[in-house]
Amino acid sequence: MSDYTSTARADGAQVPTTFPPRRLWVGGRWRGASGGATYRSENPATLEHICDIADASAEDVDDAVRAAQAAFDGSGWKEMGGAERGRILFRAADLIEADTRYLSALETLEVGKLYRDGVFGDIPATLATFRYYAGYADKLHGSTVQLPDYAGRHRLNYTLREPLGVIGAITPWNNPIVVAGWKIAPALAAGNTVVIKPPEDAALSILRLAEILAEAGVPDGVFNVVPGRGPTAGAALARHPGLAKLTFTGSPEVGALMNTHAGGQFRKVTLELGGKNPQIVFPDADLDRALPFIAVGNFLHQGQVCAAGTRVYVHDSLVEEVTRRLADHAESLTLGDPFDADVAMGPVVNRQQHERIGGYLGLGVAEGAELVTGGSLAQRPGYFVEPTVFLGRHDQRIAREEIFGPVATIIPFSDTTDVLTLANDSHFGLNAIIYTEDLHTAQTTARDLRVGNVWINAFGIPDMTTPWGGRAGSGIGRELGAAGIEAYTEEKTVQMMF
Ligand code: NAD
């Protein structure tokens, strides 16, 4: 797509500014939504209009599912060898790599993500996911089990790993292409076809991905994109009887609706939901190593990260130092244009999130938490929030609910056994971060935390080689790693006597 206007910045970044309307990608071609419906996409840093985006209706979603089913049945995608599908997906990864700056710019423009985080984080992570599953495509197989003879006959059981069919994917705005890649790459590698409903606030990079996949050689109809609103396009996709599987990443509230939408249909589902993740700083933690991770765990992408560790349990002996150093870090963060290399924090994604985070800032004070720094919505145009540190208690709502903003709550603890109880006392169970130099503490705490992922002396983004997912209110199933592609297959057992 080169049909946009852009401005060149002093640092060489080419910043797209306005686009003509964006359409649906169905059956390998662009088309408008039925009735010509569109919605407005807005830049959260400037509040400027970026473009109008087609707003898919239930009828459009139905067309996309039909196109995906026709491609599953007749495009040759599932019959193609895994090596050939892998070759196409490797090519797609190369094209994503070549498009790094443009894709990053789209997400900065729509979501307010730091441009450098896209260039050095999100896009490299996405193409790594594509390469990982491209390499997996010809290594997916079943297993063989030899059984003892029965009544003088030999027996052999084996399993076949088959693609499921049409995969419906519904994704969130916070890491648009990264999270979409966790679904699209393994689903396609395994021979499925896909219909994705991208988030209202971040459809552009996924629409661009449609062009990239087509250029790489993915047949028409194998990959379809239906931008639109959650309660209409999203609900129509989640309800559609043509799906073999629904994979959803988003809030727990909408995640809970997913099975309701399926209305008693038996279908596979993966749900990657939110988190209110603990960071535990044990008394022997090396603070010089831990502090940068504690800070990133709270303020990366303005705190709009499902893995964010925003309840920070700190041993009494370290509370004063951690509080001071985290507050110093928060105060050092420059807010501003997310394209600017000197800026450390962009805006939050939209007005609704801005107001919601503002509500939590007031709530923290009303609940009696000590406001250490920040505490206000920034007084400037755009949806900016001051990075905030509270010194609070485990039972306060700011320490229990997912705020999805740059708001850290430090919670002192004295007993290293009790802190595990506090960390596990949550309806979420996505991940946890622990800081200790003691191997025994590290291993036993990692073992006893009721979460899907533990970082020890580190915080980062999930790695494509190992499974990622939550327990309890944080979801069902796993993405990434071997589990992340097997989830897009059916294992059929064949039992033979000869
Ligand atoms: P959201 O639930 O508001 O929206 C997610 C998607 O669901 C969007 O595409 C939206 O349009 C769609 N949707 C909304 N209402 C719908 C409905 N009634 N029926 C069908 N679809 C509907 O979430 P969000 O605000 O976009 O994302 C933030 C949330 O995502 C946070 O809770 C975050 O923790 C979570 N998240 C989790 C992970 C993970 O790996 N566990 C990763 C990223 C984000």
Side-chain angles (χ1 to χ4, degrees):
M1 283 181 197
S2 52
D3 56 347
Y4 56 91
T5 57
S6 66
T7 51
R9 294 177 49 96
D11 57 10
Q14 195 71 21
V15 180
T17 41
T18 55
F19 298 82
R22 286 295 178 245
R23 292 177 289 164
L24 318 176
W25 178 256
V26 176
R29 65 180 189 90
W30 296 111
R31 49 169 269 195
S34 55
T38 57
Y39 66 91
R40 280 170 62 87
S41 172
E42 177 186 81
N43 179 336
T46 62
L47 310 190
E48 285 164 4
H49 176 228
I50 302 170
C51 66
D52 292 332
I53 298 181
D55 187 0
S57 65
E59 194 186 334
D60 297 320
V61 170
D62 184 52
D63 288 347
V65 175
R66 285 174 192 278
Q69 185 64 54
F72 186 74
D73 295 334
S75 71
W77 183 246
K78 68 175 183 303
E79 291 81 11
M80 194 183 280
E84 179 59 12
R85 281 199 302 274
R87 203 173 61 80
I88 292 171
L89 294 176
F90 274 123
R91 203 183 301 142
D94 291 345
L95 292 170
I96 294 170
E97 188 165 30
D99 216 33
T100 296
R101 287 178 176 274
Y102 180 58
L103 287 165
S104 302
L106 293 179
E107 297 201 343
T108 300
L109 203 62
E110 268 195 311
V111 181
K113 177 182 285 291
L114 291 186
Y115 178 65
R116 64 168 183 272
D117 284 358
V119 171
F120 297 110
D122 292 46
I123 307 306
T126 303
L127 63 96
T129 303
F130 270 82
R131 287 192 180 131
Y132 177 75
Y133 286 116
Y136 223 114
D138 60 358
K139 295 167 193 72
L140 262 185
H141 53 71
S143 57
T144 310
V145 181
Q146 275 178 291
L147 297 170
D149 290 354
Y150 179 76
R153 307 277 299 273
H154 303 308
R155 288 192 298 160
L156 181 68
N157 284 10
Y158 62 90
T159 68
L160 298 172
R161 223 170 243 295
E162 299 172 345
L164 297 173
V166 179
I167 309 299
I170 300 179
T171 53
W173 48 263
N174 63 327
N175 295 96
I177 198 165
V178 170
V179 172
W182 294 356
K183 302 174 188 309
I184 297 164
L188 294 184
N192 300 282
T193 59
V194 173
V195 178
I196 183 167
K197 205 299 280 175
E200 292 88 323
D201 291 308
L204 294 182
S205 57
I206 313 298
L207 289 166
R208 170 69 184 140
L209 187 61
E211 287 184 319
I212 287 176
L213 291 175
E215 191 180 336
V218 171
D220 290 352
V222 168
F223 181 68
N224 305 275
V225 190
V226 283
R229 295 170 200 279
T232 48
L237 185 59
R239 284 193 184 107
H240 203 288
L243 298 189
K245 170 168 176 146
L246 177 71
T247 172
F248 171 86
T249 299
S251 62
E253 296 74 25
V254 179
L257 280 176
M258 291 299 113
N259 285 328
T260 316
H261 280 341
Q265 303 169 62
F266 293 101
R267 84 152 51 117
K268 294 183 190 299
V269 62
T270 297
L271 302 177
E272 296 283 357
L273 310 178
K276 182 72 182 184
N277 308 297
Q279 303 204 53
I280 307 175
V281 187
F282 285 102
D284 67 330
D286 175 344
L287 287 192
D288 288 342
R289 283 176 55 196
L291 246 303
F293 289 121
I294 298 171
V296 168
N298 278 285
F299 301 128
L300 177 69
H301 192 20
Q302 294 74 265
Q304 304 167 118
V305 177
C306 57
T310 52
R311 46 186 177 122
V312 189
Y313 299 93
V314 183
H315 189 262
D316 286 335
S317 60
L318 300 176
V319 168
E320 200 181 321
E321 185 176 356
V322 171
T323 306
R324 178 179 50 77
R325 290 176 68 173
L326 189 61
D328 285 350
H329 178 93
E331 286 162 14
S332 75
L333 297 171
T334 316
L335 271 60
D337 178 357
F339 279 102
D340 192 330
D342 297 327
V343 161
M345 264 208 176
V348 299
V349 69
N350 58 29
R351 179 184 303 277
Q352 193 190 357
Q353 273 297 107
H354 197 231
E355 288 173 358
R356 190 168 167 273
I357 297 165
Y360 276 105
L361 296 177
L363 180 68
V365 173
E367 283 181 310
E370 181 189 332
L371 179 61
V372 182
T373 191
S376 304
L377 301 179
Q379 296 304 306
R380 53 183 299 151
Y383 302 125
F384 291 87
V385 180
E386 291 177 357
T388 297
V389 178
F390 281 112
L391 190 54
R393 291 192 319 268
H394 171 79
D395 61 357
Q396 290 166 336
R397 279 179 59 197
I398 53 165
R400 301 189 65 77
E401 298 174 13
E402 184 182 45
I403 299 174
F404 231 52
V407 186
T409 302
I410 293 176
I411 305 160
F413 74 89
S414 52
D415 185 302
T416 52
T417 312
D418 289 351
V419 74
L420 189 67
T421 310
L422 295 179
N424 281 336
D425 177 31
S426 170
H427 66 278
F428 292 112
L430 187 57
N431 65 282
I433 306 115
I434 57 184
Y435 302 97
T436 175
E437 295 300 302
D438 181 72
L439 195 57
H440 179 78
T441 306
Q443 295 295 334
T444 53
T445 310
R447 182 194 65 197
D448 295 338
L449 282 162
R450 190 185 49 84
V451 295
N453 181 82
V454 178
W455 271 291
I456 299 172
N457 293 329
F459 172 82
I461 59 169
D463 189 86
M464 73 277 175
T465 58
T466 31
W468 173 259
R471 292 162 72 159
S474 291
I476 299 172
R478 292 290 178 269
E479 296 191 296
L480 303 180
I485 188 163
E486 287 170 2
Y488 291 100
T489 66
E490 191 79 70
E491 196 170 17
K492 180 195 287 173
T493 300
V494 182
Q495 311 195 43
M496 195 161 77
M497 205 177 253
F498 55 99

Coordinates of all heavy atoms in Angstrom, one line a residue, residues 137-193:
A137 N 6.1 -26.4 10.0 CA 5.0 -26.9 9.2 C 5.3 -28.4 8.6 O 4.4 -29.2 8.5 CB 4.8 -26.0 8.0
D138 N 6.6 -28.7 8.4 CA 6.9 -30.1 7.9 C 7.4 -31.0 9.0 O 7.9 -32.1 8.7 CB 7.9 -30.0 6.7 CG 9.2 -29.4 7.1 OD1 9.4 -29.0 8.3 OD2 10.1 -29.3 6.3
K139 N 7.1 -30.6 10.2 CA 7.6 -31.4 11.4 C 6.4 -31.8 12.2 O 6.5 -32.4 13.3 CB 8.6 -30.7 12.2 CG 9.9 -30.5 11.4 CD 10.9 -29.6 12.0 CE 12.0 -29.2 11.0 NZ 11.5 -28.2 10.0
L140 N 5.2 -31.5 11.8 CA 4.0 -31.8 12.5 C 3.6 -33.3 12.1 O 3.5 -33.6 10.9 CB 2.8 -31.0 12.0 CG 2.4 -29.8 12.8 CD1 1.1 -29.2 12.1 CD2 2.2 -30.1 14.2
H141 N 3.5 -34.1 13.0 CA 3.2 -35.5 12.7 C 2.5 -36.2 13.9 O 2.6 -35.7 15.0 CB 4.4 -36.3 12.2 CG 5.5 -36.2 13.2 ND1 5.5 -36.8 14.4 CD2 6.7 -35.5 13.2 CE1 6.6 -36.6 15.1 NE2 7.4 -35.8 14.3
G142 N 1.9 -37.3 13.6 CA 1.3 -38.1 14.7 C 2.3 -39.0 15.2 O 3.5 -38.9 15.1
S143 N 1.9 -40.1 15.9 CA 2.8 -41.0 16.5 C 2.4 -42.5 16.2 O 1.2 -42.7 15.8 CB 2.9 -40.8 18.0 OG 1.6 -40.9 18.6
T144 N 3.3 -43.4 16.4 CA 3.0 -44.8 16.2 C 3.2 -45.6 17.5 O 4.1 -45.4 18.2 CB 4.0 -45.4 15.1 OG1 4.0 -44.5 14.0 CG2 3.5 -46.8 14.7
V145 N 2.2 -46.5 17.7 CA 2.3 -47.3 19.0 C 2.1 -48.8 18.6 O 1.1 -49.1 18.0 CB 1.2 -46.9 20.0 CG1 1.3 -47.7 21.3 CG2 1.3 -45.4 20.3
Q146 N 3.1 -49.6 18.8 CA 3.0 -51.0 18.6 C 2.4 -51.7 19.8 O 2.8 -51.5 20.9 CB 4.4 -51.6 18.3 CG 4.8 -51.5 16.9 CD 6.2 -52.0 16.6 OE1 7.2 -51.5 17.1 NE2 6.3 -53.1 15.9
L147 N 1.3 -52.5 19.5 CA 0.6 -53.2 20.6 C 0.9 -54.7 20.6 O 1.3 -55.2 19.5 CB -0.9 -53.0 20.4 CG -1.3 -51.5 20.6 CD1 -2.8 -51.4 20.2 CD2 -1.1 -51.0 22.0
P148 N 0.7 -55.4 21.7 CA 0.9 -56.8 21.6 C -0.1 -57.5 20.7 O -1.2 -57.0 20.5 CB 0.7 -57.3 23.1 CG 0.4 -56.1 23.9 CD 0.4 -54.9 23.0
D149 N 0.3 -58.7 20.2 CA -0.6 -59.4 19.3 C -1.9 -59.8 20.0 O -1.9 -59.9 21.3 CB 0.1 -60.7 18.8 CG 1.2 -60.4 17.8 OD1 1.4 -59.2 17.5 OD2 1.9 -61.3 17.5
Y150 N -2.9 -59.9 19.3 CA -4.2 -60.3 19.9 C -4.8 -61.4 19.0 O -5.0 -61.2 17.8 CB -5.2 -59.1 20.0 CG -6.5 -59.4 20.5 CD1 -6.6 -59.6 21.9 CD2 -7.6 -59.6 19.7 CE1 -7.9 -60.0 22.4 CE2 -8.8 -59.9 20.2 CZ -9.0 -60.1 21.6 OH -10.2 -60.4 22.1
A151 N -5.2 -62.5 19.6 CA -5.8 -63.6 18.9 C -5.0 -64.0 17.6 O -5.6 -64.2 16.5 CB -7.2 -63.3 18.5
G152 N -3.7 -64.0 17.7 CA -2.8 -64.4 16.6 C -2.7 -63.3 15.6 O -2.1 -63.6 14.5
R153 N -3.2 -62.2 15.8 CA -3.1 -61.1 14.8 C -2.2 -60.0 15.4 O -2.2 -59.7 16.5 CB -4.4 -60.5 14.5 CG -5.5 -61.5 14.1 CD -5.4 -61.9 12.6 NE -5.7 -60.8 11.7 CZ -6.9 -60.4 11.3 NH1 -8.0 -61.0 11.7 NH2 -7.0 -59.4 10.5
H154 N -1.4 -59.3 14.5 CA -0.6 -58.2 14.9 C -1.5 -56.9 15.0 O -2.5 -56.8 14.3 CB 0.5 -57.9 13.8 CG 1.4 -59.1 13.6 ND1 2.0 -59.8 14.6 CD2 1.7 -59.7 12.4 CE1 2.7 -60.8 14.1 NE2 2.6 -60.7 12.8
R155 N -1.0 -56.0 15.9 CA -1.8 -54.8 16.0 C -0.8 -53.6 16.0 O 0.3 -53.6 16.4 CB -2.5 -54.8 17.4 CG -3.7 -55.7 17.4 CD -4.6 -55.5 18.6 NE -3.8 -55.7 19.9 CZ -4.2 -55.2 21.0 NH1 -5.2 -54.4 21.1 NH2 -3.5 -55.4 22.1
L156 N -1.4 -52.5 15.4 CA -0.6 -51.3 15.3 C -1.6 -50.1 15.4 O -2.6 -50.1 14.7 CB 0.1 -51.2 13.9 CG 1.0 -50.0 13.6 CD1 2.2 -50.0 14.5 CD2 1.4 -50.0 12.2
N157 N -1.2 -49.2 16.3 CA -2.0 -48.0 16.4 C -1.2 -46.8 15.9 O 0.0 -46.7 16.3 CB -2.5 -47.7 17.8 CG -3.6 -48.6 18.2 OD1 -4.0 -49.5 17.5 ND2 -4.2 -48.3 19.4
Y158 N -1.8 -45.9 15.2 CA -1.0 -44.7 14.9 C -2.0 -43.5 14.9 O -3.2 -43.7 14.8 CB -0.3 -44.8 13.6 CG -1.1 -45.0 12.3 CD1 -1.6 -43.9 11.6 CD2 -1.4 -46.3 11.9 CE1 -2.4 -44.1 10.5 CE2 -2.2 -46.5 10.7 CZ -2.7 -45.4 10.0 OH -3.4 -45.6 8.9
T159 N -1.4 -42.3 15.0 CA -2.3 -41.1 15.0 C -1.9 -40.2 13.8 O -0.8 -40.2 13.3 CB -2.1 -40.3 16.3 OG1 -0.8 -39.7 16.3 CG2 -2.4 -41.1 17.5
L160 N -2.9 -39.5 13.3 CA -2.8 -38.6 12.2 C -3.1 -37.2 12.8 O -4.0 -37.0 13.6 CB -3.8 -38.8 11.1 CG -3.7 -40.2 10.4 CD1 -4.9 -40.4 9.5 CD2 -2.4 -40.3 9.6
R161 N -2.2 -36.2 12.4 CA -2.5 -34.8 12.9 C -3.1 -34.1 11.7 O -2.4 -33.9 10.6 CB -1.2 -34.2 13.3 CG -1.4 -33.4 14.6 CD -0.1 -33.0 15.2 NE 0.1 -33.6 16.5 CZ -0.6 -33.3 17.5 NH1 -1.6 -32.5 17.4 NH2 -0.3 -33.9 18.7
E162 N -4.3 -33.6 11.8 CA -5.0 -33.0 10.7 C -5.4 -31.5 11.0 O -5.6 -31.2 12.2 CB -6.3 -33.8 10.4 CG -6.0 -35.2 10.1 CD -7.3 -36.1 10.0 OE1 -8.4 -35.6 10.5 OE2 -7.3 -37.2 9.4
P163 N -5.4 -30.7 10.0 CA -5.9 -29.3 10.3 C -7.4 -29.3 10.7 O -8.1 -30.3 10.4 CB -5.7 -28.6 9.0 CG -5.6 -29.6 8.0 CD -5.1 -30.9 8.6
L164 N -7.8 -28.3 11.4 CA -9.2 -28.2 11.9 C -10.2 -27.8 10.9 O -11.3 -28.3 10.8 CB -9.2 -27.3 13.1 CG -8.4 -27.7 14.3 CD1 -8.4 -26.6 15.4 CD2 -8.9 -29.0 14.9
G165 N -9.8 -26.7 10.1 CA -10.8 -26.1 9.2 C -10.7 -24.6 9.3 O -9.5 -24.1 9.2
V166 N -11.8 -23.9 9.4 CA -11.8 -22.4 9.4 C -11.5 -22.0 10.9 O -12.3 -22.3 11.8 CB -13.1 -21.8 8.9 CG1 -13.0 -20.3 9.0 CG2 -13.3 -22.3 7.5
I167 N -10.5 -21.2 11.1 CA -10.2 -20.6 12.4 C -10.7 -19.2 12.5 O -10.3 -18.4 11.6 CB -8.7 -20.6 12.6 CG1 -8.0 -22.0 12.4 CG2 -8.3 -20.1 14.1 CD1 -8.6 -23.1 13.2
G168 N -11.5 -18.9 13.5 CA -11.9 -17.5 13.7 C -11.0 -16.9 14.8 O -10.8 -17.5 15.8
A169 N -10.4 -15.7 14.5 CA -9.5 -15.1 15.4 C -10.0 -13.7 15.7 O -10.3 -12.9 14.8 CB -8.1 -15.0 14.8
I170 N -10.0 -13.4 17.0 CA -10.4 -12.0 17.5 C -9.3 -11.5 18.4 O -8.9 -12.2 19.3 CB -11.7 -12.1 18.3 CG1 -12.9 -12.6 17.4 CG2 -12.1 -10.7 18.8 CD1 -14.2 -12.8 18.0
T171 N -8.8 -10.4 18.1 CA -7.5 -9.9 18.7 C -7.6 -8.5 19.3 O -8.5 -7.7 18.9 CB -6.4 -9.9 17.6 OG1 -6.8 -9.2 16.5 CG2 -6.1 -11.4 17.2
P172 N -6.7 -8.2 20.2 CA -6.7 -6.9 20.9 C -5.8 -5.9 20.3 O -5.0 -6.2 19.5 CB -6.2 -7.3 22.3 CG -5.2 -8.4 22.0 CD -5.6 -9.1 20.8
W173 N -5.9 -4.7 20.8 CA -5.2 -3.5 20.2 C -3.8 -3.3 20.8 O -3.0 -2.6 20.2 CB -6.0 -2.2 20.3 CG -6.4 -2.0 21.7 CD1 -7.7 -2.3 22.2 CD2 -5.7 -1.5 22.9 NE1 -7.7 -2.0 23.6 CE2 -6.5 -1.6 24.0 CE3 -4.4 -1.1 23.0 CZ2 -6.1 -1.2 25.2 CZ3 -4.0 -0.7 24.3 CH2 -4.8 -0.7 25.4
N174 N -3.5 -3.9 21.9 CA -2.3 -3.5 22.6 C -1.0 -3.9 21.9 O 0.0 -3.2 21.9 CB -2.3 -3.9 24.1 CG -2.3 -5.4 24.3 OD1 -2.9 -6.1 23.5 ND2 -1.7 -5.9 25.3
N175 N -1.0 -5.2 21.4 CA 0.2 -5.6 20.6 C -0.4 -6.2 19.3 O -0.4 -7.5 19.1 CB 1.0 -6.7 21.3 CG 1.7 -6.1 22.5 OD1 1.2 -6.2 23.6 ND2 2.8 -5.4 22.3
P176 N -0.9 -5.4 18.4 CA -1.8 -5.9 17.4 C -1.2 -7.0 16.5 O -1.8 -8.1 16.4 CB -2.1 -4.6 16.5 CG -1.8 -3.5 17.4 CD -0.7 -3.9 18.4
I177 N 0.0 -6.8 15.9 CA 0.5 -7.8 15.0 C 1.2 -8.9 15.7 O 1.2 -10.0 15.2 CB 1.4 -7.1 13.9 CG1 1.5 -8.0 12.7 CG2 2.7 -6.7 14.5 CD1 2.1 -7.3 11.5
V178 N 1.7 -8.6 16.9 CA 2.4 -9.7 17.6 C 1.4 -10.8 18.0 O 1.5 -12.0 17.7 CB 3.0 -9.2 18.9 CG1 3.5 -10.3 19.8 CG2 4.2 -8.3 18.6
V179 N 0.3 -10.3 18.6 CA -0.8 -11.3 19.1 C -1.4 -12.0 17.9 O -1.7 -13.2 17.9 CB -1.8 -10.6 20.0 CG1 -2.9 -11.5 20.3 CG2 -1.0 -10.2 21.3
A180 N -1.7 -11.2 16.8 CA -2.3 -11.8 15.6 C -1.4 -12.9 15.1 O -1.8 -14.0 14.7 CB -2.6 -10.7 14.6
G181 N -0.1 -12.6 15.1 CA 0.9 -13.6 14.6 C 0.9 -14.9 15.3 O 1.1 -16.0 14.8
W182 N 0.7 -14.8 16.7 CA 0.7 -16.0 17.5 C -0.4 -17.0 17.0 O -0.4 -18.2 17.3 CB 0.4 -15.7 18.9 CG 1.5 -14.9 19.6 CD1 2.7 -14.5 19.2 CD2 1.4 -14.4 21.0 NE1 3.4 -13.8 20.1 CE2 2.6 -13.7 21.2 CE3 0.4 -14.4 22.0 CZ2 2.9 -13.1 22.4 CZ3 0.7 -13.8 23.2 CH2 1.9 -13.1 23.4
K183 N -1.5 -16.4 16.4 CA -2.6 -17.2 15.9 C -2.4 -17.6 14.4 O -2.6 -18.7 14.1 CB -3.9 -16.4 16.1 CG -4.1 -16.0 17.6 CD -5.3 -15.1 17.8 CE -5.5 -14.6 19.2 NZ -5.4 -15.5 20.3
I184 N -2.1 -16.5 13.6 CA -2.1 -16.7 12.2 C -1.0 -17.7 11.8 O -1.3 -18.6 11.0 CB -1.9 -15.4 11.5 CG1 -3.1 -14.4 11.8 CG2 -1.8 -15.6 10.0 CD1 -2.8 -13.0 11.4
A185 N 0.2 -17.5 12.3 CA 1.3 -18.3 11.8 C 1.1 -19.8 12.1 O 1.2 -20.6 11.1 CB 2.6 -17.8 12.4
P186 N 0.8 -20.2 13.3 CA 0.6 -21.7 13.5 C -0.6 -22.2 12.8 O -0.6 -23.3 12.3 CB 0.5 -21.8 15.0 CG 0.1 -20.5 15.5 CD 0.7 -19.5 14.6
A187 N -1.7 -21.4 12.8 CA -2.9 -21.9 12.1 C -2.7 -22.2 10.7 O -3.1 -23.2 10.1 CB -4.1 -20.9 12.3
L188 N -2.0 -21.3 10.0 CA -1.7 -21.5 8.6 C -0.7 -22.6 8.4 O -0.8 -23.4 7.5 CB -1.2 -20.2 7.9 CG -2.2 -19.0 7.8 CD1 -1.6 -17.8 7.1 CD2 -3.5 -19.4 7.2
A189 N 0.3 -22.6 9.2 CA 1.4 -23.7 9.1 C 0.8 -25.0 9.1 O 1.2 -26.0 8.4 CB 2.4 -23.5 10.1
A190 N -0.3 -25.2 10.0 CA -0.9 -26.5 10.1 C -1.9 -26.8 9.1 O -2.5 -27.9 9.1 CB -1.6 -26.6 11.5
G191 N -2.2 -25.9 8.1 CA -3.0 -26.2 7.0 C -4.5 -25.7 7.1 O -5.3 -26.0 6.3
N192 N -4.7 -24.8 8.1 CA -6.1 -24.3 8.3 C -6.2 -23.0 7.5 O -5.2 -22.5 6.9 CB -6.2 -23.8 9.8 CG -6.1 -25.0 10.7 OD1 -7.0 -25.8 10.9 ND2 -4.9 -25.2 11.4
T193 N -7.4 -22.5 7.4 CA -7.7 -21.2 6.9 C -8.2 -20.3 8.0 O -8.7 -20.8 9.0 CB -8.7 -21.2 5.7 OG1 -9.9 -21.8 6.2 CG2 -8.2 -22.1 4.6

